[in-house]
Amino acid sequence: MNLIQPIHQYRPIPERISRLNDLAYNLWWSWQPNGQRLFQDVDAALWEIVYHNPVKFLTEVRQATLETASEKQDYLALYDSMVSRFDEYMAPASTWFSKAHPGKKGPIAYFSAEFGLHESLPIYSGGLGVLAGDHVKGASDLGVPMIFVGFLYPQGYFRQVINADGWQEAIYTHLDFDDAPALPAVTPDGSEVIVEVQLPGRVIYAKVYRIQVGRSPLFMLDTDIHPNAPADRELSARLYGGDHDLRVAQEVVLGIGGIRALRAMGIEPQVYHMNEGHSAFLVLELVREQVAKGDNFSRAFENVSRMLAFTTHTPVAAGNDA
């Protein structure tokens, strides 16, 4: 499974510190001691203005400021240490998984409606998202061969403001993917991944993005693309928004579209892990694939059931769809 992908670079970075670009597009730095300092020590004020977003930071930082950092010995010592740690982390001689489970390869596909990875990616709501985000980072640290699938919500969660009358207002800001550590996912031949899912009376298309979290790849679907109708372009705009029909449509796209995205990239997981029921439609897609290959429904259902895992975060009726 080849998951290597080129990294964008928006402005020249001095050669001496050019690996900042690699680090900006891998969220590994976000849970490492001194990780933030890689960017904060270049321009602390700008780091706060861009809300701790390293990609946006590198698009806005002044060239002269980068040049100055590349000549400071204390900064270079930090930079060299972090780059060395990063390279060792990404290409280890062994991991916990390789030692504890030699010969087992995976991958395991983990589906979730939200992932709380970092504040610069406002695509999570609360505990479920933070839990899922920790699973991504934990899998990376342990070397567990997992890939992750979710939605890349372009409007994310809202920010609260209090108006002149003392009432709360929800302000949504559009997430510019050019300013986020997200790149278009690609097929084995290098084409961008776009999948289609049938809903009653229409077809919905979703573009797939990739976020690298240490060693773990996270694939995120976005429906805000042509030729979707305006309402369907808003389908993945916000987390947990809208009425029941919208929620079901989101879940169809996540479950069925997520499986089709993996197939387009040539990824064949051995296990499919559903974090809550939001991705449950993936079960129907897996059964459909088996039937299309010649199995009857009962045999297909039995085969698919062996590949499934499920966890619930909110085990009360009010926290789950029915």
Side-chain angles (χ1 to χ4, degrees):
M1 181 171 58
N2 182 9
L3 294 177
I4 303 302
Q5 196 167 340
I7 299 295
H8 289 328
Q9 185 162 312
Y10 291 103
R11 68 173 59 218
I13 299 175
E15 181 64 27
R16 181 64 178 83
I17 56 173
S18 60
R19 296 290 303 283
L20 283 177
N21 194 67
D22 297 344
L23 291 163
Y25 276 92
N26 190 318
L27 288 172
W28 170 85
W29 65 268
S30 68
W31 75 94
Q32 303 303 314
N34 294 324
Q36 290 204 46
R37 287 186 55 204
L38 275 173
F39 307 97
Q40 185 179 41
D41 286 6
V42 174
D43 188 333
L46 178 61
W47 182 241
E48 294 300 319
I49 291 171
V50 300
Y51 207 58
H52 306 162
N53 181 338
V55 175
K56 189 171 179 61
F57 179 87
L58 290 179
T59 67
E60 297 192 6
V61 66
R62 296 175 61 187
Q63 188 72 28
T65 303
L66 289 172
E67 295 285 356
T68 298
S70 70
E71 297 170 358
K72 289 183 176 179
Q73 292 306 311
D74 56 345
Y75 180 76
L76 292 178
L78 168 67
Y79 169 84
D80 290 341
S81 173
M82 293 299 292
V83 168
S84 176
R85 286 175 51 199
F86 176 68
D87 289 341
E88 290 176 5
Y89 181 92
M90 293 300 291
S94 63
T95 64
W96 171 85
F97 183 85
S98 67
K99 294 175 182 177
H101 302 282
K104 293 193 175 181
K105 298 180 180 180
I108 300 164
Y110 178 110
F111 283 66
S112 181
E114 53 175 308
F115 289 89
L117 298 166
H118 187 256
E119 62 202 41
S120 61
L121 282 169
I123 55 174
Y124 59 99
S125 175
L128 177 68
V130 174
L131 171 72
D134 284 350
H135 284 168
V136 183
K137 297 169 186 175
S140 174
D141 283 346
L142 296 171
V144 181
M146 295 182 71
I147 55 179
F148 298 83
V149 182
F151 269 127
L152 187 57
Y153 303 98
Q155 292 184 25
Y157 49 66
F158 65 80
R159 303 188 188 281
Q160 296 176 345
V161 298
I162 304 300
N163 64 23
D165 297 323
W167 291 99
Q168 172 190 301
E169 292 184 354
I171 305 298
Y172 288 92
T173 57
H174 195 279
L175 177 63
D176 188 342
F177 296 160
D178 286 340
D179 289 336
L183 297 170
V186 295
T187 64
D189 65 5
S191 303
E192 293 188 357
V193 179
I194 297 178
V195 297
E196 60 181 69
V197 177
Q198 292 73 32
L199 283 173
R202 68 197 195 277
V203 174
I204 292 180
Y205 299 87
K207 182 173 180 176
V208 184
Y209 287 84
R210 172 182 171 159
I211 296 171
Q212 194 66 33
V213 187
R215 304 185 195 109
S216 300
L218 169 58
F219 298 105
M220 312 292 275
L221 290 85
D222 172 38
T223 63
D224 188 13
I225 63 170
H226 180 78
N228 286 338
D232 290 333
R233 295 187 72 152
E234 290 281 317
L235 186 67
S236 64
R238 300 175 184 175
L239 175 62
Y240 304 147
D243 58 17
H244 182 75
D245 289 343
L246 176 61
R247 284 290 297 277
V248 171
Q250 284 183 330
E251 293 174 1
V252 168
V253 173
L254 175 60
I256 296 177
I259 294 294
R260 294 178 181 179
L262 296 180
R263 299 292 183 259
M265 292 181 286
I267 300 172
E268 295 284 343
Q270 294 185 12
V271 175
Y272 298 84
H273 183 135
M274 293 170 282
N275 189 34
E276 293 281 18
H278 306 111
S279 58
F281 285 98
L282 73 82
V283 181
L284 299 182
E285 177 65 4
L286 293 174
V287 171
R288 186 199 64 79
E289 289 181 336
Q290 295 278 327
V291 171
K293 293 176 182 178
D295 284 344
N296 61 42
F297 178 83
S298 296
R299 186 180 301 112
F301 187 84
E302 182 180 348
N303 292 338
V304 167
S305 68
R306 297 194 192 102
M307 298 186 289
L308 301 177
F310 174 82
T311 50
T312 186
H313 173 262
T314 313
V316 295
N320 293 275
D321 295 326

